[in-house]
Amino acid sequence: MTTFEKFFADNPEQKDIYEKEYNDFLISEFMLEQMEAQHISVRELAKRADVSPTVIQKLRSKDSQKINLHTFTSVLRCLGYQIKLEKMPSV
């Protein structure tokens, strides 16, 4: 067992916190990468997704807790992506 796995085994509540924060990090990094690759500014993406630039900034800065699913999917659609659900392995 790795130190990482042992930490979560000893602190199960930390695993939930880690997974939430890691997902926020992934969303933020994905947004930054796609905006850079497609040469889209915050204002341009906001205009295309019909949201305020503040919403895009929140997604880019890992502050996505208050962004609703409709808004998030609209932004993703403008970047050429969609959400697909996948069943997680049993824990």
Side-chain angles (χ1 to χ4, degrees), residues 17-67:
I17 294 169
Y18 168 80
E19 288 176 352
K20 162 70 173 89
E21 290 177 358
Y22 184 69
N23 286 333
D24 287 348
F25 170 76
L26 289 177
I27 289 169
S28 174
E29 289 301 303
F30 172 79
M31 292 282 300
L32 291 168
E33 180 182 295
Q34 289 305 308
M35 290 174 69
E36 185 176 316
Q38 297 180 36
H39 307 290
I40 300 173
S41 69
V42 168
R43 289 190 184 280
E44 180 60 28
L45 182 55
K47 182 178 175 184
R48 290 182 191 183
D50 196 27
V51 298
S52 76
T54 304
V55 168
I56 303 302
Q57 289 289 37
K58 284 184 177 193
L59 286 167
R60 286 175 35 135
S61 67
K62 303 170 201 73
D63 184 23
S64 58
Q65 294 178 19
K66 295 180 182 166
I67 305 298

